[in-house]
């Protein structure tokens, strides 16, 4: 518990938001997608933002289009999301079971004991743990995309985002999710995949020894060390309804988070006056050069 407290106190939950993309809070209608980022045991707030994009696109586009800053892993690029809003940063220690001083360097797939789990839901439906990668599926127009940090959890008890997938004013409406087309290739960068990938909810298999179920005996017809097969999804009509929104944790739309442009200016030492100051300096140098040349010319004339 002390270790978790240190994580929560180590740094703010949000690094910077691109305020030029999306807008704070829930989407107001069936256009676009609402994106929920729940930092869970990393500490801090839960951010809810809307990507108002009217056309379908990938889960990665939903996340970035809502203004969130992300980092992928060196091996897979943005096909596997390693950090959201600079969390977990490379400097903070994560108390991963068996690896208590683990730091996330975003080189390869994060361990199954500390990663961003990926969820989605149609409006007024329960959150559904993603069986496909962030580039393998399209977001549901009018629905929700969720990212919840999973620490020392399993595929059976990964923490669900603590914001109900319900747009304000639509409470009580039926859960009517569309049936999603199944993937047809295993490429994590493909829009279509061969089959749903089990494991970490982002469509990638964690390294050997860090896979969910790696220490469990294989099921019948399953080779030792292989990931368990993905759980079949219920039909759209059988999906459960969303939780009661009155149980939502406190959240922010990220409107108080520093804008990414302002952060870059601050960290680079630049400011809004920098171009004017540079221009003035160049002008002064030109004037000084002109005066020096004029004095020399006069001196040579005398």
């Amino acid at each position: 518990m002390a270790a978790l407290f240190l994580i929560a106190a180590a740094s703010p939950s949000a690094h910077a938001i691109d305020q030029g993309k999306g807008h704070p809070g829930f989407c107001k209608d069936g256009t676009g997608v609402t994106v929920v980022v729940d930092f869970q045991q990393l500490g801090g707030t839960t951010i809810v933002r809307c990507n108002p994009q009217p056309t379908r696109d990938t889960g990665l586009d939903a996340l970035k289009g809502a203004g969130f800053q992300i980092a992928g892993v060196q091996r897979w690029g943005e096909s596997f999301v390693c950090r959201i809003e600079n969390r977990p940063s490379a400097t903070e220690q994560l108390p991963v079971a068996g690896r208590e001083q683990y730091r996330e360097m975003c080189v390869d797939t994060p361990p199954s004991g500390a990663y961003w789990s990926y969820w989605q839901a149609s409006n007024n439906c329960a959150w559904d743990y993603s069986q496909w990668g962030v580039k393998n599926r399209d977001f549901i127009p009018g629905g929700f995309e969720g990212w919840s940090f999973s620490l020392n959890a399993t595929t059976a008890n990964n923490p669900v985002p603590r914001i109900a997938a319900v747009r304000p004013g639509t409470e009580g409406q039926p859960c009517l999710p569309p049936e999603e087309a199944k993937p047809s290739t295993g490429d994590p960068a493909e829009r279509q995949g061969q089959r749903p990938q089990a494991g970490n909810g982002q469509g990638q298999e964690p390294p050997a020894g860090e896979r969910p179920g790696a220490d469990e005996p294989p099921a019948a017809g399953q080779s030792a060390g292989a990931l368990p097969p993905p759980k079949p999804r219920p039909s759209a009509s059988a999906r459960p309804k969303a939780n009661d929104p009155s149980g939502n944790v406190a959240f922010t739309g990220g409107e108080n988070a520093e804008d990414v442009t302002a952060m870059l200016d601050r960290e680079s030492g630049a400011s809004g006056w920098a171009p004017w100051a540079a221009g003035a300096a160049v002008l002064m140098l030109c004037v000084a050069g002109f005066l020096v040349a004029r004095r020399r010319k006069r001196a040579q004339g005398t």
Side-chain angles (χ1 to χ4, degrees), residues 112 153-156 199 206 209-219 222-228:
S112 58
T154 68
T155 52
E210 296 174 352
R211 300 173 179 173
D215 297 328
E216 299 173 4
Q222 180 184 341
S223 61
L227 285 170

Side-chain angles (χ1 to χ4, degrees), residues 113-221:
Y115 71 97
W116 281 102
S117 61
Y118 176 37
W119 306 74
Q120 63 276 154
S122 292
N123 188 46
N124 276 306
C125 294
W127 285 106
D128 193 9
Y129 185 80
S130 178
Q131 299 178 79
W132 308 325
V134 68
K135 285 187 174 182
N136 286 130
R137 63 174 303 278
D138 289 350
F139 64 75
I140 302 169
F144 288 73
E145 294 275 307
W147 293 86
S148 178
F149 195 77
S150 176
L151 183 64
N152 295 323
T154 68
T155 52
N157 63 3
N158 271 315
V160 175
R162 293 170 294 174
I163 300 293
V166 179
R167 291 197 312 274
T170 66
E171 297 86 347
Q173 292 183 6
C175 167
L176 298 173
E179 294 286 0
E180 293 187 80
K182 292 179 171 57
S184 57
T185 75
D187 187 342
E190 281 289 334
R191 293 290 290 276
Q192 298 289 321
Q194 172 89 46
R195 61 179 176 78
Q197 299 277 350
N200 49 31
Q202 291 197 47
Q204 299 290 345
E205 296 188 358
E210 296 174 352
R211 300 173 179 173
D215 297 328
E216 299 173 4

Side-chain angles (χ1 to χ4, degrees), residues 278-296:
V282 171
L283 180 60
M284 290 176 65
L285 288 173
C286 291
V287 171
F290 172 77
L291 292 175
V292 169
R294 188 175 180 182
R295 287 176 183 175
R296 287 178 178 175

